[in-house]
Amino acid sequence: MAPAAPLPADEDARLATLGEYPLLDTGPDPAFDALTALAAAICGTPISLVSLVDRSRQWFKSHHGLEVAETPRRDAFCAHTILGREVFVVEDAPADPRFVDNGLVVGEPHIRFYAGAPLVSPEGHALGTLCVIDRRPRRLDAAQLAALRTLAQQVMSQLELQRRNRQLARTLEQRNADLAALRMLQEQLAERDRRMQRLTAQLPGVVYQFRATPDGRGAFTYASEGLRRLFGVGPEEVADDAKLAYARVHPDDVARVMATTAESARTLAPWDCEYRVVDADGGVRWLHGRSVPERQPDGGTQWHGFLTDVTERHRTDDALRESEAVLRQAQHLAHLGSWRWNSATGDSRWSDETYRLFGVDPATFRATFDAFLALVHPDDRDAVARAHADALSGLRPYDIEYRVVTPAGELRHLHGRAEVVPDAARGGAPTMIGTVLEISERKRAEQALARHRDDLERLVVERTAELVAARDAAQQASRAKSDFLSAMSHELRTPMNAILGFGQLLELEAGLGP
């Protein structure tokens, strides 16, 4: 048996980082399944996996084209991929000494070709791979390799998003603790100063009281120590005048903070605002402030509230928007759209590339199933409807080639594939998740080849008919000549007849030819 891959130099730190992602042994996720389906479609392979390499196994968060959920690490091609940071390719596994006796090569799934892009965490640890597999030798071109790397980055973005979501949940739990602390402080107002110092010392945000006087001056009459961490100023520095804290507010957000504060003071509605602050080193943090105002006897307003650092949530949102943009670009380059159809509502969600392939405007086109069928070529409409119904009933997978006619009158050939999954949010109602690939160029090439073949067959038939006609004419002339000679042999009895017959024979020779 071929030896297993060596362990990465950062194995302990790598496993520790992998444990921070809430993924191992979790259920299917459409976000990952869509990426593996896209990778398989782009690379033209039957199998694509999101593999996370654990201590003694490789576990598949998504396994497109393969039923098993994990395999031993000793046989894992991905264990070789995580040793580097580039795409790892094996074009013909039985010809590679590292894999000639590999259990996944000599047994199921009988791997011949493998290409894996490592999933590298922000800390620089390779947690696993996005890989494509085939049961026959093959090669990927430069565009396919680039697409595989890009999709691996999208997988890592999804992994990081779930990691950030866990952190966000913890932040929200802490925020609820802040609210509970605030309610307790309000109930025990008489002991406010002594108790608040003890209760808020370890809070990640800031518990505060802010007062605005009738002439517009503001001050933090109370603030927990968190103010120093978020604004770089101590509570004592803003107890009489809040200008040092206001100086830290991002210039682009100052007007909004002031306007929302004034509106809250006017209407006594709760103040709720997100804004940025800039620290002494130029770093930017996002804060979420919420407080309840009350009118003071002198006509001023005092707010009781809290501030929370929500910088990580904004970074997560930015990362998600970036990953969605890259995915849209990858779909556009591959002419591959994606869609999701819900049987409970009848509505569909299409990617930008899907709208482009059907030639419709997402701003005005409502993507229902009936609207989709209306775009399908009339001669293909029944077949597409049957394929959709068969997939929902479990009779056969949704995999069909069909034509569409865009509103502009352009005929396009498409290849649709989809899987049916239950929608937990709607009581398990069937949901179809699929892709649509434009194959117009391939169809035009096939049609051109068919026309060329028909022209060749017609030419062969015409030439064969000409040759048969020529052969029949020659045979008829030969029989006429033979019949004449036989008849003349009876007539040539006398020398004169022989002479006359010889002359006729010469005339016949001249007329019939050889």
Side-chain angles (χ1 to χ4, degrees):
M1 179 179 290
L7 297 178
D10 61 346
E11 179 66 0
D12 291 339
R14 189 190 72 81
L15 289 173
T17 302
L18 178 61
E20 296 177 8
Y21 293 82
L23 291 170
L24 290 175
D25 299 313
T26 59
D29 188 325
F32 294 97
D33 292 344
L35 291 171
T36 52
L38 183 57
I42 291 175
C43 297
T45 61
I47 299 172
S48 178
L49 308 168
V50 171
S51 171
L52 300 177
V53 181
D54 203 355
R55 187 177 302 276
S56 60
R57 60 173 178 161
Q58 63 170 349
W59 178 81
F60 306 134
K61 177 59 182 173
S62 177
H63 41 97
H64 176 84
L66 191 67
E67 294 299 324
V68 299
E70 62 180 62
T71 62
R73 180 171 177 172
R74 66 175 179 273
D75 292 332
F77 285 52
C78 298
H80 294 263
T81 303
I82 65 172
L83 298 176
R85 296 297 180 269
E86 299 297 327
V87 177
F88 178 72
V89 179
V90 178
E91 295 179 351
D92 191 356
D96 192 317
R98 295 171 295 182
F99 304 104
V100 64
D101 295 327
N102 186 281
L104 301 178
V105 175
V106 299
E108 286 294 336
H110 297 288
I111 296 174
R112 295 294 299 274
F113 168 80
Y114 170 93
L119 305 176
V120 183
S121 73
E123 296 85 358
H125 305 304
L127 308 179
T129 73
L130 170 64
C131 64
V132 292
I133 294 172
D134 205 337
R135 296 182 177 91
R136 61 184 180 85
R138 66 184 306 119
R139 291 182 177 179
L140 299 183
D141 59 29
Q144 290 171 317
L145 289 171
L148 189 61
R149 282 190 291 267
T150 299
L151 291 175
Q153 293 172 0
Q154 297 314 300
V155 172
M156 195 62 233
S157 294
Q158 290 293 331
L159 293 175
E160 191 64 18
L161 176 61
Q162 298 207 16
R163 183 190 195 186
R164 298 298 184 188
N165 284 342
R166 170 187 274 187
Q167 295 172 346
L168 180 59
R170 292 172 178 170
T171 300
L172 290 176
E173 291 176 1
Q174 189 61 59
R175 174 179 170 179
N176 291 334
D178 288 351
L179 288 171
L182 179 59
R183 285 192 296 270
M184 184 167 54
L185 291 171
Q186 291 171 333
E187 294 169 357
Q188 302 176 350
L189 188 59
E191 301 178 29
R192 179 190 59 187
D193 292 340
R194 180 175 60 84
R195 290 182 179 272
M196 288 185 66
Q197 289 294 337
R198 187 167 64 243
L199 292 171
T200 63
Q202 304 302 318
L203 290 176
V206 181
V207 175
Y208 69 91
Q209 286 181 334
F210 181 83
R211 187 175 188 277
T213 61
D215 60 3
R217 292 184 296 108
F220 284 91
T221 55
Y222 173 83
S224 65
E225 274 298 311
L227 188 75
R228 197 183 306 275
R229 295 191 298 272
L230 298 185
F231 286 84
V233 296
E236 69 283 355
E237 298 178 83
V238 291
D240 297 321
D241 193 334
K243 64 181 180 181
L244 291 179
Y246 274 119
R248 295 295 189 191
V249 177
H250 194 286
D252 294 343
D253 296 344
V254 170
R256 178 159 50 86
V257 171
M258 299 296 289
T260 54
T261 302
E263 179 66 12
S264 177
R266 186 181 67 82
T267 63
L268 293 183
W271 181 72
D272 194 325
C273 184
E274 288 194 3
Y275 60 96
R276 292 163 291 178
V277 294
V278 183
D279 59 30
D281 296 327
V284 177
R285 289 177 177 271
W286 276 95
L287 303 183
H288 180 200
R290 180 175 175 80
S291 58
V292 177
E294 62 179 8
R295 190 74 70 211
Q296 297 296 292
D298 63 356
T301 307
Q302 181 163 275
W303 287 265
H304 307 276
F306 63 90
L307 292 169
T308 305
D309 188 338
V310 292
T311 305
E312 289 303 319
R313 174 167 64 80
H314 276 267
R315 289 174 180 168
T316 299
D317 292 343
D318 291 343
L320 178 60
R321 285 190 291 270
E322 181 181 354
S323 68
E324 291 174 344
V326 173
L327 179 58
R328 286 194 297 270
Q329 182 65 18
Q331 289 185 342
H332 179 68
L333 292 174
H335 297 283
L336 180 71
S338 60
W339 53 270
R340 180 187 185 101
W341 176 83
N342 183 272
S343 63
T345 63
D347 288 335
S348 299
R349 292 175 58 187
W350 288 7
S351 70
D352 291 346
E353 185 62 14
T354 303
Y355 283 106
R356 191 196 68 78
L357 291 175
F358 283 86
V360 294
D361 185 354
T364 58
F365 182 81
R366 185 185 175 198
T368 64
F369 183 70
D370 290 340
F372 153 71
L373 277 183
L375 294 171
V376 176
H377 192 284
D379 294 344
D380 298 345
R381 200 167 288 158
D382 289 343
V384 171
R386 283 196 304 273
H388 187 270
D390 290 346
L392 281 178
S393 64
L395 185 62
R396 59 179 58 86
Y398 183 85
D399 192 332
I400 186 171
E401 293 183 2
Y402 57 93
R403 294 163 294 174
V404 297
V405 181
T406 69
E410 182 181 356
L411 180 69
R412 293 177 178 173
H413 292 263
L414 304 178
H415 183 188
R417 300 182 67 187
E419 291 185 353
V420 179
V421 298
D423 188 341
R426 291 181 171 84
T431 294
M432 292 183 68
I433 300 174
T435 60
V436 58
L437 176 68
E438 183 175 6
I439 55 173
S440 301
E441 289 297 329
R442 192 193 80 192
K443 286 296 184 181
R444 283 192 284 270
E446 291 174 354
Q447 292 167 359
L449 180 60
R451 289 194 298 270
H452 178 71
R453 184 166 52 246
D454 292 344
D455 292 344
L456 184 60
E457 290 175 355
R458 185 169 58 254
L459 179 62
V460 169
V461 170
E462 292 173 354
R463 295 299 297 156
T464 300
E466 292 175 359
L467 291 173
V468 170
R471 183 200 64 188
D472 291 346
Q475 289 176 347
Q476 184 177 2
S478 177
R479 285 194 300 269
K481 179 178 178 180
S482 176
D483 293 344
F484 177 80
L485 291 175
S486 176
M488 288 299 296
S489 66
H490 295 287
E491 296 295 331
L492 300 180
R493 303 294 186 180
T494 64
M496 182 57 69
N497 287 338
I499 292 171
L500 292 173
F502 182 72
Q504 293 175 353
L505 178 61
L506 290 177
E507 292 176 0
L508 179 62
E509 290 283 353
L512 296 179

